[in-house]
Amino acid sequence: MIELISAARCTGCNICVAACPTNVFASSLSGPPVIARQADCQTCFMCELYCPEDALYVAPTAGAPLGLASEADAPLPLGTYRAAIGWTPATAANRSVDAMHAVLSAK
Ligand code: SF4
Ligand code: SF4
């Protein structure tokens, strides 16, 4: 389940808002998006996958929120899922092969 957005890392690009299939986030004009509907999270990790700043933490436990207060409380480093599937800075040039990445990144 989505647990937190790091205000220190987030640039407010709102890619996660567009990527989420269940409309969990609400965009904000003055800062990071808000986790507005946490109970609707499907733990699909799409927000973490497409966030360019590793600013989100999605816990693999889907049943109930962990109630994390800050990034320091996250059991794993932010961006762990994205890195585990191979989307690292070293492979950034390959991301254009993913059509969804191209759509979400186009502004
Ligand atoms: S995708 Fe990442 S950087 Fe962009 S708004 Fe969402 S959390 Fe912030
Ligand atoms: S894990 Fe999936 S459903 Fe949950 S907030 Fe992220 S994109 Fe939305």
Side-chain angles (χ1 to χ4, degrees), residues 2 20-22 24-25 41-47 58:
I2 180 70
C20 179
T22 53
V24 165
F25 304 102
C41 176
Q42 302 297 305
T43 317
C44 69
F45 287 89
M46 290 300 99
C47 54
V58 180

Side-chain angles (χ1 to χ4, degrees), residues 10-103:
C10 179
T11 60
C13 69
N14 284 318
I15 287 177
C16 57
V17 180
C20 179
T22 53
N23 198 28
V24 165
F25 304 102
S27 60
S28 169
L29 295 178
S30 59
V34 175
I35 301 172
R37 291 164 286 274
Q38 188 178 25
D40 291 344
C41 176
Q42 302 297 305
T43 317
C44 69
F45 287 89
M46 290 300 99
C47 54
E48 182 172 331
L49 180 62
Y50 288 107
C51 175
E53 308 296 338
D54 286 345
L56 297 150
Y57 183 73
V58 180
T61 48
L66 298 179
L68 303 182
S70 72
E71 179 180 341
D73 296 330
L76 296 169
L78 275 62
T80 293
Y81 175 81
R82 181 194 49 69
I85 67 161
W87 282 31
T88 68
T91 64
N94 299 336
R95 295 180 192 182
S96 60
V97 301
D98 176 64
M100 181 62 83
H101 184 274
V103 168

